[in-house]
Amino acid sequence: MQKLKTTELNRVGIEEFKEQDKLPVVVILDNVRSMNNVGSAFRTADGFAIEKIILCGITAQPPHREIEKTAIGATQSVAWVHFEETLDAVRALRKDGYEIIAIEQAVDSIMLNTFKPDQSKKYALIFGNEVNGVSDEVMAEIDKCIEIPQFGTKHSFNIVISAGIVLWDFYAKLRL
């Protein structure tokens, strides 16, 4: 087995990426502390060609050297906006017809493996703070909650691992 060279990957350029059809998903980062997590979220969002990222509250914004360490240029390809309050982002997306889904462990959450996204809907997926998760105020406003099944001794995944798992699942169920 031989690895492909970068020139053999047939990747699109930034302008072509901006024009291509996107997965009908917006990622909301609810007060994410780590700039490495923010950068990694951008890189993951680029990999699955989502519509945009919404950075909320204390979540750091590009341009920033610490974000770029893990984004590796994805802040240039993925559209993003900042909202001071996550609830304002949620309410704006709801007005635009998005189904609001928190990725969280909660009463009556739906296990990711059983969730079936609807081809006709647009989704806003909320990933919360590394310590406190999605805020209680935001949880009171969501339409659904998806939980990633876990089988080890820890009670949660890192936010970017969660984003990668969930975005892959949505991409696979909606596009493959």
Side-chain angles (χ1 to χ4, degrees):
M1 185 71 58
Q2 184 175 354
K3 296 190 311 183
L4 292 172
K5 295 180 176 93
T6 304
T7 56
E8 298 172 314
L9 295 176
N10 298 318
R11 299 290 185 203
V12 298
I14 291 174
E15 292 310 314
E16 189 177 351
F17 177 86
K18 288 179 180 181
E19 299 299 320
Q20 78 183 34
D21 186 40
K22 301 288 190 297
L23 193 66
V25 171
V26 170
V27 166
I28 299 172
L29 299 183
D30 179 20
N31 290 292
V32 172
R33 303 178 303 163
S34 165
M35 287 190 240
N36 289 325
N37 283 340
V38 174
S40 293
F42 269 94
R43 190 168 171 189
T44 303
D46 176 277
F48 292 114
I50 69 159
E51 289 180 5
K52 71 178 166 184
I53 293 180
I54 299 179
L55 308 170
C56 298
I58 66 166
T59 306
Q61 303 167 54
H64 197 286
R65 183 176 60 85
E66 291 299 311
I67 293 172
E68 285 305 322
K69 279 183 182 179
T70 51
I72 310 178
T75 57
Q76 304 302 310
S77 57
V78 177
W80 66 273
V81 295
H82 179 263
F83 279 76
E84 285 298 320
E85 298 294 331
T86 307
L87 280 178
D88 292 338
V90 165
R91 291 172 180 153
L93 288 166
R94 179 168 283 116
K95 273 185 178 176
D96 287 341
Y98 285 82
E99 184 165 355
I100 311 299
I101 300 175
I103 310 305
E104 189 60 85
Q105 297 164 328
V107 175
D108 297 325
S109 61
I110 302 162
M111 289 297 161
L112 178 62
N113 58 299
T114 64
F115 180 76
K116 305 273 190 269
D118 183 332
Q119 292 280 349
S120 67
K121 289 186 178 181
K122 302 183 294 185
Y123 295 96
L125 304 177
I126 308 168
F127 297 90
N129 175 276
E130 294 89 340
V131 175
N132 301 313
V134 176
S135 69
D136 292 338
E137 297 80 21
V138 172
M139 289 296 289
E141 299 263 341
I142 64 171
D143 298 313
K144 288 184 173 74
C145 184
I146 291 177
E147 183 174 338
I148 302 168
Q150 297 177 53
F151 309 100
T153 62
K154 301 303 173 198
H155 69 280
S156 67
F157 288 115
N158 173 281
I159 176 180
V160 178
I161 299 301
S162 295
I165 292 168
V166 173
L167 289 174
W168 164 249
D169 189 76
F170 269 68
Y171 191 91
K173 289 174 179 173
L174 290 170
R175 295 287 167 91
L176 300 181

